[in-house]
Amino acid sequence: MSTGATAMASWNFVRKSFYQDSVTLMLLTRDMEAVPGVARAAAMMGTPQNLVLLHDAGLLAAAGEAAGPTDLVIAVLASSGAAAEAARAATERALTARPASGPPGAAPRPRTLAGALRALPGANLALISVPGAYAGAEALKALRAGLHVMLFSDNVPVATEVELKTLARERGLFMMGPDCGTAIVGGVPLGFANAVPRGRIGIAAASGTGLQEVVCHIAAAGDGVSHAIGVGGRDLTDAVGGLMLERALAALASDPATEVVCVIGKPPGPATRARLGDWLGRLGKPCVVNFVTRAARPAGGGSTPPPAATHVAATLEDAALAAVALARGKTPAPVEFTDPPGAITRLVEDAERRMRAGQRFVRGVYSGGTLAYEALGLLEARLADVAPGLTGGGVAHRVVDLGEDVFTVGRPHPMIDGTVRREWIEKEGAAADTAVLLLDVVLGYGTHADPAGELLPAIVRTRRAAESAGRHLAVVASVCGTDGDPQGRSAQAAALRGAGVVVMPSNAQAARLAALIAARRA
Amino acid sequence: MTIGDANRECVRRLQAGGAVLVGVRPAREVLPALGERTLLHAGPPVAWERMCGPMRGAVVGACLFEGWAATAEDAARLATAGGLAFEPCHHHRAVGPMAGVLSPSMALLVVRNEAFGSEAYATLNEGLGRVLRFGAHDQAVLDRLAWMNRELAPLVDGALRRAGGVDLKNLIARALTMGDECHNRNTAGTSLLVRRLAPHVAAARTGDVERALAFMDATDHFFLNAAMAAAKAMLDGCHGVPGSTVVTAMARNGVEFGIRVSGTGDRWFTAPAPKIEGLYFPGYGPDDANPDIGDSAIAETAGLGAFALAAAPAIVQFVGGTAGVALDTTRRMYEITLAEHESFRIPALDFRGVPLGIDVRKVVETGIVPVIDTGIAHRESGVGQIGAGFSEAPMGCFIRALEGFVAGLGV
Amino acid sequence: MEPGHLLAAEIRVVSIGLELFADALGARRVPVVHIDWRPPAGGEPRLAALLARAGDDVDVERGRP
């Protein structure tokens, strides 16, 4: 031991014939210098050059001087023998410890499409949900790489949509979207989608929750879905001209598993409607169309009569049931209510009897755009003074679609997070002129794990507050889902009923019931 | 021709490029454009006034070596007075590690890229510690350089002729399977090269054979300079393809980091040289460190060094990482390159080729910059290497390169 | 139905954006890889515009596709 700086002394520990990698040695140095009381340390092989270095650093002691080139020298400049020993012990631990390593071969997530294609060779579909400003470029890259695309994002310019769909047509690819939230291809649910049995009914939909409502009713009726292709909310407008719908219909026409085709969307533009007639005529299979509509226009939409084999349905539920009927060789029959008339009357009276004077209006608080639109149309057909938009304005009957852009800037979609819906439920429930709250509860992959549970606290609070002010709030809902969904339709419906919510078999029936109740309050 | 076509052609040339070490010759013999009183240096252009400590020290040493000045002070005065010209090694098909100072009398490794009929050059590696490339210029350094010129260079040159040249591409490919990445880890490459040369050195009738062989044995990084010249030779072969966005050089002068791109000719795109994240030898720390310096990033430009880190996992311990970090580093570099090398493959990645052909556009798009593993020099001249670690090429270089590239399109 | 047609194929998905969609597919054992996506060029429109002018299909002499 030789004396170095004041109160510091150097200790050397030599391990004979103990070769270590220079990098490992540098790590040992770092570990030792972290020990309290150690001023400086080094772990080096005992080559002559290294011994000189150790000497120059004031670290060399007698034991180290005697070391040879294949010996490991641990050299410590410390304030006490105990500190030096602690440093030595630290190196022992480090040398014998096994490295903590991640699972071998687990690669980091790729940052680019090229990286993703290396990681998953044979990838054939890009599911894109990035902000709209970037969505078009990502979809373009995917198409150029030969992938089909499902574009969940919205706020994509219509010119970009046309460019994408034109390129996709040239390449023989599917370009589903933009604003395509749902699809089921080959039994695989994509985006927000429900678990439904595979079967013989194929759907092409320019609507997310519309597609969901239809497939769920098909499943409830005991039939199944071959493919449910989303085409994007704007596809049927004349600006886009049904570019993806045409492709979807051609695919369903040649798909051997598809026996009946169902087309869902908002009413097409006039030019698109005319060409739609041709496409439907070429299907060679029975077809049902539902153009979710408002009171001003008939359910089939427009003056051009559809081809003979096309059945026109007035609601999403009717479209599903019609498709099932056609598949079974039966005649479709629209549904007003599933429950017998007596039961409906009792429901209406029950709700209405306990209301206070002044409670007059239906207030819809929706998460699904198409469901809100369908409800609005049904209310308009039966009531006066229904506010025309879906942004919650208006003083009498109104429906708000909280999935609209204005509500989702910087906030998660209401199908994923219930915060905004709870706020609206409480707001509408607190209004003295609200008679009926009308809700959709949408289940499936990608949506919240417990949509009913998300809403119930607000429903319960709002009703109690209304009761204490002498008002009875009727809450009418439908559950769009199946028991195969992660949330389980039966369980969700039971939870809602437990809180006094009237759960109707479909969105259309829920809207009709709400209208009946409000009609008695007029 | 589209940009895609240009890049494909550039990568094709890069894959096809060869690198055979054919001889050792004096700089003035193989660099005809090298003016008298001209010194070459690492990195993009830099004036004497701005040079960092190690490079100034190396300049002084080169002056003394050439006999342009008698003392260090005279050498510095000569430089300050404008009596010397400075140019990047890259402008003369050469590369130099650390300060990379190269003078007319120095002996250079000559590497031929037969596929394109071109050559690239680098000095012989002096070893570690007090050496010229870290700015040391005392008598021991000058004596060693003189010995290398007088004895080592002719012996190696003669050995190469007897051997019919040494295929460096082959040695690099083998070294990658033996734990080297050919930038910070060269033990296997040096062993293969020295083993190949030794019988032919020993066959020399005259010269300091014993000392030459002992010198090469003791110089762990002897292969580095050869690997750098090989990378330079291969990359020069793909430089100058109009419309190509492939990076053909990355280099640092201790003050700035610069890149060159195949389709933008001789332009340098520069940004301040980054600091290096790493571990230090005993007694040194980050305050002592020189910013990133040297032409050795030519290794990463060719898919070696940190790009091939998956072949040399021991190095990640410099940043406290695990062997998984080595794999991830190479994998990340695939995101910014266009191809995988056909010859340089990594066993740990199931013999996948190293990431090849850095695309300026991909760097800007992904935000992933090339990573370089490198030695850390002391910022004062003459002290030497004080540690090792990783540095990142500055994004600014790639943004400027993209701007320059786009401005030149359709013109 | 021609080969490569989506309806006849086994779906293998590249997910870009919301991770929950990739998770849902993974839970159903559908082959999926999720991209660690961030806005290209760090979200800078100027750089994104430069990149758009340097695409693979841009003709070098004309400066556009």
Side-chain angles (χ1 to χ4, degrees):
Chain A
M1 192 183 93
S2 57
T3 312
T6 345
M8 289 285 171
S10 50
W11 283 263
N12 288 174
F13 310 95
V14 178
R15 288 188 66 156
K16 301 212 59 74
S17 289
F18 191 74
Y19 173 76
Q20 284 297 298
D21 187 86
S22 61
V23 173
T24 306
L25 296 179
M26 285 169 64
L27 280 175
L28 295 179
T29 300
R30 191 190 60 184
D31 289 343
M32 286 193 282
E33 287 184 342
V35 172
V38 171
R40 194 184 293 169
M44 305 186 101
M45 296 309 295
T47 62
Q49 303 92 308
N50 286 346
L51 294 184
V52 168
L53 279 173
L54 287 171
H55 175 269
D56 288 350
L59 286 165
L60 193 63
E65 278 167 30
T70 55
D71 301 334
L72 172 61
V73 179
I74 308 283
V76 185
L77 186 70
S79 57
S80 69
E85 174 55 33
R88 192 203 62 77
T91 67
E92 286 302 315
R93 277 194 303 275
L95 286 167
T96 53
R98 300 187 58 213
S101 173
R109 281 185 162 162
R111 289 275 290 274
T112 61
L113 182 62
L117 294 175
R118 273 193 295 266
L120 188 65
N124 52 13
L125 176 75
L127 173 48
I128 302 174
S129 53
V130 299
Y134 303 102
E138 296 298 332
L140 195 60
K141 268 193 283 201
L143 289 173
R144 283 188 175 145
L147 295 167
H148 301 275
V149 172
M150 175 169 160
L151 186 50
F152 177 90
S153 317
D154 56 11
N155 290 311
V156 175
V158 63
T160 306
E161 177 169 356
V162 173
E163 182 192 352
L164 290 170
K165 286 178 171 172
T166 304
L167 177 62
R169 185 169 62 179
E170 283 166 21
R171 300 277 178 102
L173 297 168
F174 273 23
M175 179 60 233
M176 300 183 279
D179 192 29
C180 173
T182 309
I184 307 174
V185 179
V188 174
L190 297 160
F192 296 134
N194 301 92
V196 297
R198 295 216 60 193
R200 52 193 171 169
I201 300 172
I203 297 123
S207 145
T209 45
L211 189 157
Q212 290 186 264
E213 177 86 343
V214 166
V215 301
C216 289
H217 282 289
I218 289 171
D223 238 280
V225 171
S226 56
H227 306 281
I229 304 169
V231 302
R234 209 164 36 193
D235 193 72
L236 296 184
T237 61
D238 278 347
V240 182
L243 280 172
M244 182 58 210
L245 180 63
E246 180 184 9
R247 183 111 177 83
L249 289 174
L252 291 172
S254 58
D255 173 41
T258 301
E259 294 174 19
V260 174
V261 174
C262 186
V263 178
I264 312 285
K266 289 205 191 129
T272 311
R273 172 188 312 288
R275 295 163 66 215
L276 175 63
D278 290 337
W279 304 334
L280 293 177
R282 281 202 287 269
L283 265 181
K285 299 177 183 178
C287 175
V288 178
V289 298
N290 167 246
F291 294 131
V292 187
T293 190
R294 307 276 292 282
R297 301 192 216 154
S303 51
T304 317
T310 305
H311 176 88
V312 174
T315 66
L316 297 163
E317 175 182 25
D318 281 351
L321 295 177
V324 170
L326 290 175
R328 294 172 183 174
K330 302 214 165 79
T331 309
V335 168
E336 172 92 352
F337 286 111
T338 310
D339 295 315
I344 296 297
T345 308
R346 266 195 305 282
L347 275 175
V348 173
E349 285 173 352
D350 262 346
E352 196 264 321
R353 172 182 38 240
R354 295 175 275 165
M355 287 188 188
R356 191 183 174 145
Q359 285 187 265
R360 298 176 53 204
F361 299 122
V362 177
R363 268 72 201 260
V365 181
Y366 271 75
S367 64
T370 307
L371 298 175
Y373 199 79
E374 179 175 75
L376 187 64
L378 289 165
L379 293 176
E380 281 176 334
R382 291 160 175 76
L383 300 169
D385 294 329
V386 178
L390 286 171
T391 49
V395 298
H397 308 289
R398 57 188 178 234
V399 177
V400 66
D401 167 20
L402 292 173
E404 282 272 316
D405 292 347
V406 62
F407 300 113
T408 55
V409 176
R411 312 185 77 163
H413 194 281
M415 276 165 61
I416 299 174
D417 178 275
T419 307
V420 178
R421 276 237 276 175
R422 285 193 295 272
E423 286 166 11
W424 272 81
I425 287 171
E426 299 208 42
K427 183 173 77 103
E428 297 287 39
D433 57 358
T434 299
V436 186
L437 280 178
L438 178 59
L439 308 172
D440 64 338
V441 179
V442 181
L443 314 182
Y445 294 101
T447 47
H448 193 279
D450 182 10
E454 275 283 277
L455 301 182
L456 281 173
I459 294 172
V460 168
R461 253 196 316 272
T462 280
R463 296 186 90 211
R464 282 211 193 109
E467 297 293 341
S468 57
R471 289 182 281 117
H472 172 74
L473 262 182
V475 183
V476 179
S478 66
V479 179
C480 175
T482 69
D483 275 328
D485 287 334
Q487 303 90 342
R489 187 185 182 284
S490 305
Q492 292 279 295
L496 290 165
R497 288 195 179 105
V501 176
V502 178
V503 180
M504 297 301 280
S506 71
N507 182 54
Q509 294 188 38
R512 289 189 194 107
L513 181 67
L516 279 182
I517 295 171
R520 287 175 61 124
R521 306 295 302 166
Chain B
M1 171 169 286
T2 64
I3 294 177
D5 294 332
N7 280 338
R8 270 184 289 278
E9 171 60 16
C10 183
V11 169
R12 187 197 68 74
R13 294 185 189 185
L14 194 45
Q15 299 270 30
V20 178
L21 181 59
V22 295
V24 185
R25 308 304 306 160
R28 62 165 53 83
E29 180 185 309
V30 290
L31 305 183
L34 188 62
E36 279 309 307
R37 298 294 166 102
T38 299
L39 291 177
L40 305 185
H41 62 79
V46 61
W48 164 253
E49 293 72 33
R50 292 190 69 206
M51 282 185 188
C52 64
M55 191 173 281
R56 293 174 80 111
V59 165
V60 165
C63 283
L64 296 172
F65 180 69
E66 293 289 338
W68 297 338
T71 65
E73 293 73 24
D74 287 346
R77 267 193 289 274
L78 181 64
T80 307
L84 299 172
F86 299 103
E87 290 175 23
C89 289
H90 270 288
H91 291 191
H92 295 263
R93 299 190 178 280
V95 279
M98 289 295 157
V101 172
L102 193 163
S103 65
S105 305
M106 289 185 189
L108 301 182
L109 300 169
V110 179
V111 177
R112 278 194 72 77
N113 182 348
E114 202 56 65
F116 300 96
S118 64
E119 290 181 348
Y121 313 98
T123 53
L124 293 159
N125 193 286
E126 308 158 80
L128 288 174
R130 295 189 67 76
V131 291
L132 186 73
R133 72 176 181 281
F134 287 105
H137 50 259
D138 54 32
Q139 197 54 47
V141 173
L142 300 173
D143 289 345
R144 184 191 306 113
L145 283 173
W147 174 82
M148 287 169 70
N149 256 28
R150 197 179 58 245
E151 298 284 347
L152 181 64
L155 280 169
V156 176
D157 184 57
L160 286 167
R161 278 167 216 293
R162 272 177 225 106
V166 173
D167 185 343
L168 294 177
K169 203 170 168 182
N170 172 268
L171 260 57
I172 290 171
R174 288 159 66 192
L176 286 174
T177 69
M178 296 166 67
D180 277 7
E181 31 73 282
C182 305
H183 184 163
N184 255 341
R185 211 45 172 212
N186 293 288
T187 314
T190 297
S191 303
L192 291 171
L193 178 59
V194 174
R195 179 179 129 197
R196 187 87 179 75
L197 290 175
H200 301 289
V201 171
R205 298 299 164 85
T206 58
D208 201 345
V209 170
E210 251 186 76
R211 189 174 165 194
L213 288 171
F215 179 88
M216 289 191 283
D217 172 44
T219 306
D220 220 22
H221 289 284
F222 190 75
F223 190 69
L224 170 65
N225 297 40
M228 286 174 60
K232 174 66 174 166
M234 291 186 280
L235 284 158
D236 273 357
C238 76
H239 183 77
V241 177
S244 170
T245 53
V246 172
V247 176
T248 50
M250 293 195 289
R252 318 85 105 206
N253 56 31
V255 176
E256 285 195 307
F257 191 114
I259 70 169
R260 284 178 136 183
V261 175
S262 183
T264 53
D266 289 339
R267 293 177 62 177
W268 285 99
F269 302 102
T270 63
K275 281 266 175 193
I276 304 163
E277 285 286 320
L279 288 180
Y280 290 86
F281 298 152
Y284 298 108
D287 292 339
D288 305 311
N290 201 68
D292 208 18
I293 184 172
D295 286 333
S296 57
I298 198 74
E300 278 77 8
T301 315
L304 306 170
F307 277 51
L309 206 61
I315 294 184
V316 298
Q317 298 179 86
F318 285 120
V319 285
T322 62
V325 170
L327 298 177
D328 288 351
T329 301
T330 294
R331 284 191 178 117
R332 201 162 67 245
M333 296 299 105
Y334 284 118
E335 303 269 26
I336 57 173
T337 49
L338 292 168
E340 300 179 8
H341 209 294
E342 285 157 6
S343 305
F344 301 154
R345 295 172 180 273
I346 303 179
L349 293 178
D350 287 326
F351 295 94
R352 199 169 161 190
V354 297
L356 186 68
I358 301 168
D359 186 343
V360 163
R361 302 169 303 169
K362 288 189 167 207
V363 173
V364 175
E365 182 185 355
T366 62
I368 298 172
V369 288
V371 64
I372 297 152
D373 78 89
T374 181
I376 305 173
H378 198 286
R379 57 185 170 74
E380 286 166 20
S381 73
V383 179
Q385 184 172 350
I386 61 170
F390 292 89
S391 71
E392 290 190 329
M395 178 58 82
C397 295
F398 300 90
I399 292 176
R400 278 173 206 128
L402 181 64
E403 288 165 349
F405 176 82
V406 170
L409 287 175
V411 166
Chain C
M1 189 153 278
E2 69 269 21
H5 198 292
L6 188 62
L7 300 192
E10 182 211 5
I11 307 286
R12 296 166 69 81
V13 181
V14 174
S15 163
I16 312 167
L18 298 178
E19 213 171 316
L20 65 100
F21 291 143
D23 292 343
L25 288 167
R28 296 268 306 208
R29 304 242 190 290
V30 174
V32 57
V33 61
H34 187 72
I35 291 180
D36 179 16
W37 182 87
R38 30 206 100 170
E44 275 194 59
R46 183 182 72 87
L47 295 180
L50 282 176
L51 286 173
R53 292 174 58 195
D56 272 354
D57 55 356
V58 168
D59 183 278
V60 176
E61 272 164 29
R62 295 209 326 252
R64 51 191 166 77

